[in-house]
Amino acid sequence: MTDLSTRLSTRVRRAAPALLGYAAVRVLGLLVLALWSAARDKSAYTLLTARWDALWYTRVAELGYGYEVRLPNGDVHSNLAFFPLLPWLERGLHAVTPLSYADAGFLVAVLASLAAAWGIFAVTDLVYGRRAGICAVLLWAVLPVGIVQSMAYSESLFTALAAWALYAVLTGRWPTAGALALLAGLTRPVGLAVVAAVWAAGIASFVRDRSAAPGDSARSPGRAPSPTGGPAPRGASAARRALGMLLAPLGAAGYVLWVGHRTGQGPLGYLDVQAGWRNGFDGGYAFARFVAEKFTSFPSALAGVGLITGVALVVWLYVVCVRQGQPLPLLVYAGVVTALALCASSYFGSKPRLLLPAFPLLLPLALALARLRTRRSVLVLGLVAVASAAYGAFWLNGSGPP
């Protein structure tokens, strides 16, 4: 117990600057949101906990599945589209505390966002060092849609599970990685990205084991996979890898199969539920058409240029990640999250929010910031944090995330 507490204390101290900086950015965002909302005679807390998807999650927590809304155009919005882990946590907290379902959702978001920040630090610190880890966390905090991290949404919870699953893979903790991937798969459809990362790393390590000389494994019987995807030990470790890979898809697969059974539509019934929301995966065709339509008039053409620039930036960052030789699990995870976000056929305004969990895309920027003098990097991050806080307040008091 003493050794465990010592290790935990050491890790907390190492991550403390990142976590304190993250908390400061989030407090700034909430403060600006509160002031902005008060000036518009709105409740900032309501915007964070009782609007848009947050309402759907609390309805699932309170009433279970089965609620749906039929729109005049014939579309059916079913709450089966929302994965169950966040509502389960809201229901559990409500049962054991005086918190309402909405309050519980906000508490989960706050705690999960801190866990996500710590996970992002742990991954980046492992691969690129402490200074880059601090910069990565702060960059994630100051994203333009960073206010979502404090909303009763599932993005923070998912990012926390994904980041720690990736850390577990990189450090050879395969059953832990599989269990976290299972939970991520119960949180959002993009949990498939975590499953893909675990499986890609597992398959690569088995292939390397098979091609490695027997003497190599014997010389390092307890060695875990390196962050760059080096060979893992044979024997019991191979069994643990297999266990992690088997656990990883059970969450997403279990929920999707349950929805298919409940709706009577078979194994792919969840896709029908998503179709009721006019959402699906079309390879980006609908998004490309949406962008093209922006060029029909001059004012909207500026928005079209902005969208193209944003997509180009995301693609460029991913290419840089590949060129920098990021570990395979990070590349697979970020690639799948990005593809699912950009190639969804609806809710185009949500794409920045859907990209929020793709934190490995920020690592090239984190490395660049880490090379600057501390005073300069603090100035850059401080200015961006203020802009992000203002944008978040403006956004939630306007159209907000759909």
Side-chain angles (χ1 to χ4, degrees), residues 153-182:
Y153 272 40
S154 59
E155 273 78 6
S156 290
L157 178 60
F158 174 78
T159 305
L161 294 168
W164 284 108
L166 292 170
Y167 179 79
V169 168
L170 294 175
T171 54
R173 297 171 172 86
W174 291 94
T176 300
L180 290 170
L182 184 157

Side-chain angles (χ1 to χ4, degrees), residues 120 140 143 154-156 158-160 162-163 166 188 190 333-334 337 351-361:
I120 292 170
W140 191 66
L143 287 173
S154 59
E155 273 78 6
S156 290
F158 174 78
T159 305
L166 292 170
R188 295 186 63 80
V190 75
Y333 169 75
V337 172
K351 293 194 182 296
R353 173 170 67 86
L354 298 178
L355 285 167
L356 195 61
F359 70 88
L361 295 178

Side-chain angles (χ1 to χ4, degrees), residues 45 49 58 61 86-112 151-153:
Y45 191 69
T49 63
T58 55
L86 177 56
W88 285 348
L89 293 174
E90 291 176 343
R91 182 182 299 173
L93 281 173
H94 173 73
V96 300
T97 68
L99 296 175
S100 69
Y101 294 107
D103 295 338
F106 180 69
L107 179 60
V108 170
V110 170
L111 296 178
M151 297 179 68
Y153 272 40

Side-chain angles (χ1 to χ4, degrees), residues 76-77 141 187 192 227 236 278 280 334 349:
V76 178
H77 288 185
T187 307
L192 292 173
R278 299 222 170 177

